[in-house]
Amino acid sequence: MALLRIRKFPDDALKTPAAPVENIDGQLDALLESMAQTMYAAPGVGLAAPQVGEARRVIVLDTDHENPGQHLLKLINPRVVEAEGSTIWEEGCLSVIDYSAEVKRAARVVVRAWTPEQKEIEIEGTDLLAVALQHEIDHLDGKLFIDRISRIKRELYRRKLHKLIKEGKADERRPAVARI
């Protein structure tokens, strides 16, 4: 499997809602495997297909930093079916260069999805898993975590990014938090 190129804000692919997967097949398995390898290499906690230029509703997640690969989730057509409470979490993103911010999310979620083995499952998540599931599902809806912060903070980030691009430093990544 090959490592995939992760799209960076403001790439239009990140703003386009992904289409539901109609057929779970070998091509999809290959995409999910390449996405997982790309996520681990980045390194990140999660990766959604739109981040690698694929407008399909699939994500990969692994919140277990100590045992990479042992708790890898490959989810097809995931959707939040239950959410409760709220939490504030410092989020970063593989598609948002050199920036993190506190984002308000549901503290507990239940997500229903399909596996590559064509089984429908439900995953209950709290803490980092809940945040990561919501973050990646946002990508499938064409949203970034910076869409959930204030307009002022978003504008300050755009200015910072413009400066990084102008200085030729836009590809440098300084991880402040786990990038989801």
Side-chain angles (χ1 to χ4, degrees):
M1 299 294 117
L3 292 182
L4 305 169
R5 182 176 71 89
I6 298 173
R7 305 294 178 99
K8 306 290 193 272
F9 175 80
D11 190 309
D12 288 337
L14 300 170
K15 293 291 184 185
T16 306
V21 172
E22 301 290 331
N23 187 23
I24 299 173
D25 58 17
Q27 279 188 320
L28 190 60
D29 285 343
L31 172 62
L32 286 164
E33 187 56 35
S34 290
M35 286 174 58
Q37 289 182 12
T38 302
M39 174 190 70
Y40 289 127
V45 171
L47 189 65
Q51 291 179 272
V52 294
E54 292 283 336
R56 295 192 263 180
R57 295 189 74 82
V58 297
I59 64 174
V60 294
L61 280 171
D62 191 345
T63 58
D64 186 350
H65 308 292
E66 302 199 7
N67 303 295
Q70 290 185 12
H71 297 99
L72 174 64
L73 296 173
K74 296 177 180 179
L75 304 177
I76 302 161
N77 295 331
R79 64 188 189 287
V80 175
V81 295
E82 208 175 296
E84 65 183 36
S86 70
T87 188
I88 307 273
W89 203 275
E90 181 87 7
E91 292 186 32
C93 181
L94 296 173
S95 292
V96 178
I97 297 169
D98 198 30
Y99 188 73
S100 65
E102 290 185 342
V103 178
K104 186 176 181 180
R105 300 272 187 188
R108 178 190 158 277
V109 295
V110 175
V111 170
R112 190 171 295 143
W114 290 88
T115 68
E117 297 78 30
Q118 300 185 26
K119 292 181 183 176
E120 189 173 32
I121 61 170
E122 280 192 358
I123 300 165
E124 181 175 349
T126 59
D127 300 319
L128 178 57
L129 180 56
V131 170
L133 285 163
Q134 293 169 85
H135 179 108
E136 297 309 328
I137 291 171
D138 270 0
H139 277 299
L140 302 180
D141 295 331
K143 293 181 183 171
L144 296 169
F145 83 93
I146 58 175
D147 295 324
R148 294 188 174 275
I149 61 176
S150 73
R151 190 172 40 152
I152 293 169
K153 287 181 181 177
R154 199 168 37 252
E155 183 55 34
L156 288 171
Y157 172 67
R158 287 176 207 254
R159 289 180 187 174
K160 177 181 178 177
L161 179 62
H162 180 65
K163 183 179 176 188
L164 287 171
I165 291 170
K166 189 175 180 180
E167 293 172 354
K169 297 179 182 176
D171 289 333
E172 290 180 21
R173 312 280 325 257
R174 291 180 285 287
V177 298
R179 291 179 301 236
I180 302 174

